[in-house]
Amino acid sequence: MARWAPDTRERLRAAALELFAERGFDATTVPDIVERAGVTRRTFFRHFSDKREVFFGDDEIPALAGAIVAAAPAGASPFSIAWRGFHMLAGERFESRRAQMEAARRFIRSEPSLRERDLQKQADLRDALREGYVARGVDPFTARVVAGVAVELLQIALERWLADDTGTPLTQYLAAVRADMSDALGDA
């Protein structure tokens, strides 16, 4: 395969997940991954900073979130900005990678360094949203609360979606957790 094929990132991700399943996370090295994917080490490090990032994609989601917040129309509520962005990501990034994400979740749950990185990535997403909201003029307290709630609801929707094998789209889980949250808060 060509080194610069357009699917290199996904080939690397698929090769890594196969090797992690065969050998375990700790026993799999970057040279193993690049050999399986048919690319060079340099190519691997163009796409991922280390083998843990195969699961997380470096900073692409927080960067996308920051761009979505910055591009949102004036007057849009902070939560609706995040929620529309999550719906877009569900369709464009997550749905087609469901099987990979499901496999990745199994590794993340079993590997402490991956759980730690997962929590850091959630914090990075919260920070990107919070910073974007503040840049739009939202007060820091509101920005922090809305970003935290939005990311937590996204995580719950992802967990439910990945645990369900019925083929229900992630967007339906996003709608359900938002409705559940509204019900839980009531008129408070």
Side-chain angles (χ1 to χ4, degrees):
M1 289 191 177
R3 277 180 42 188
W4 298 105
D7 65 341
T8 301
R9 185 179 185 85
E10 290 309 311
R11 277 195 355 248
L12 284 163
R13 187 172 275 134
L17 290 174
E18 289 170 8
L19 288 164
F20 296 154
E22 292 169 15
R23 303 177 185 175
F25 179 78
D26 288 334
T28 301
T29 65
V30 169
D32 297 332
I33 296 167
V34 299
E35 182 179 333
R36 176 76 56 101
V39 298
T40 65
R41 257 177 84 92
R42 180 180 283 177
T43 299
F44 178 91
F45 288 112
R46 273 194 199 101
H47 292 279
F48 304 105
S49 58
D50 62 41
K51 72 179 183 178
R52 291 177 299 179
E53 288 305 315
V54 166
F55 295 102
F56 305 107
D58 286 317
D59 296 325
E60 69 185 21
I61 300 298
L64 281 169
I68 288 167
V69 172
S77 75
F79 187 82
S80 69
I81 294 169
W83 217 244
R84 276 191 293 251
F86 294 162
H87 276 266
M88 183 269 307
L89 287 172
E92 293 180 12
R93 297 280 177 133
F94 298 153
E95 289 289 347
S96 64
R97 294 185 47 228
R98 186 183 190 286
Q100 261 186 357
M101 291 175 69
E102 196 174 9
R105 280 286 138 203
R106 285 192 297 275
F107 290 111
I108 291 167
R109 281 192 300 268
S110 68
E111 178 64 39
S113 69
L114 294 175
R115 285 195 309 268
E116 178 184 341
R117 182 69 62 102
D118 188 39
L119 292 172
Q120 182 59 54
K121 292 302 180 175
Q122 291 175 42
D124 293 346
L125 178 54
R126 280 191 304 275
D127 289 346
L129 290 171
R130 181 186 48 76
E131 291 167 8
Y133 296 153
V134 169
R136 291 174 63 86
V138 176
D139 73 89
F141 173 76
T142 301
R144 180 178 175 191
V145 170
V146 172
V149 168
V151 171
E152 188 61 28
L153 291 177
L154 171 64
Q155 292 304 311
I156 292 167
L158 284 167
E159 289 169 10
R160 290 179 180 177
W161 175 62
L162 292 171
D164 178 18
D165 61 358
T166 64
T168 302
L170 175 55
T171 54
Q172 287 187 22
Y173 283 98
L174 288 168
V177 298
R178 184 175 183 178
D180 290 348
M181 188 64 183
S182 293
D183 291 347
L185 291 176
D187 293 332

